[in-house]
Amino acid sequence: GALEGCESLEVVIFNNQPTEIANSSFVGCTSLKQIVIPETVTLIGVGAFRGCEALETLVLSEGLLEIGRAAFSDCVGLEEIVLPESLEKIGYNAFNGCENLTITVTHVEGKNYDGWIGGWCGDAEVILPEGLTREDLNLDRTNLEVFPGIVQRPGQIWPEDAVKPGLDIELFP
């Protein structure tokens, strides 16, 4: 949360080639208008830009591997982004509340979308390339992340020892 709530911050330029943007780094920077994520960044942490209402320009560079939960939630000013081909994981609610946003997915070859956990796109419109379906990207939340990295799919049966004593989990189709 290094710059959390910095209401006058409008532009961020990274000169030191960071490898990640930490959790909650820019949460609530309500005047932040543009950001270009450098190619060196592989991870955008949980809630990193949550509530940056004025954010209009977001460039996600090739090399980005993961967008954390709620990383860009409630960035209502965002209108368009393109997901880089390198992206492997998108956390739950990553773009929730971005009702004006159009997300373009440009790649399909050789990708495994299991890491794109249900609900990542929120209210955004998602443009998919030919051959890719809403189910492939779990846009309709048919898969449920039970724990980080453990996904429950409809009709999947868990072994008895998969859920440890003391954990009360209820799964819905």
Side-chain angles (χ1 to χ4, degrees):
L3 296 170
E4 181 175 347
C6 186
E7 295 175 358
S8 60
L9 180 67
E10 291 185 14
V11 179
V12 174
I13 300 171
F14 295 98
N15 291 323
N16 61 349
Q17 299 186 354
T19 57
E20 70 177 60
I21 297 173
N23 297 350
S24 303
S25 292
F26 299 94
V27 68
C29 292
T30 54
S31 297
L32 182 62
K33 293 181 181 177
Q34 70 178 51
I35 187 156
V36 176
I37 305 297
E39 291 178 359
T40 56
V41 172
T42 59
L43 168 69
I44 298 174
V46 174
F49 295 94
R50 183 172 39 90
C52 294
E53 311 168 341
L55 188 61
E56 296 172 348
T57 304
L58 171 64
V59 177
L60 302 173
S61 296
E62 199 58 48
L64 181 64
L65 300 175
E66 180 177 347
I67 297 174
R69 286 186 329 272
F72 296 97
S73 65
D74 300 319
C75 292
V76 295
L78 272 178
E79 292 184 5
E80 184 177 350
I81 63 165
V82 176
L83 299 181
E85 186 173 341
S86 58
L87 193 60
E88 295 176 357
K89 183 174 181 181
I90 303 177
Y92 185 74
N93 280 340
F95 297 99
N96 191 49
C98 300
E99 63 263 4
N100 301 314
L101 179 61
T102 298
I103 301 171
T104 302
V105 178
T106 60
H107 54 283
V108 291
E109 298 280 333
K111 294 301 282 185
N112 176 352
Y113 296 100
D114 285 348
W116 296 28
I117 303 303
W120 60 267
C121 60
D123 301 320
E125 176 186 358
V126 180
I127 298 173
L128 303 173
E130 188 176 330
L132 197 62
T133 68
R134 293 180 63 83
E135 288 178 355
D136 292 331
L137 298 185
N138 196 25
L139 296 185
D140 300 318
R141 302 179 191 193
T142 55
N143 296 341
L144 172 68
E145 185 174 32
V146 180
F147 301 105
I150 299 175
V151 177
Q152 170 71 35
R153 292 179 175 81
Q156 181 178 22
I157 299 173
W158 288 77
E160 280 187 37
D161 61 347
V163 179
K164 303 295 180 203
L167 297 175
D168 187 17
I169 300 172
E170 196 170 341
L171 300 175
F172 301 93

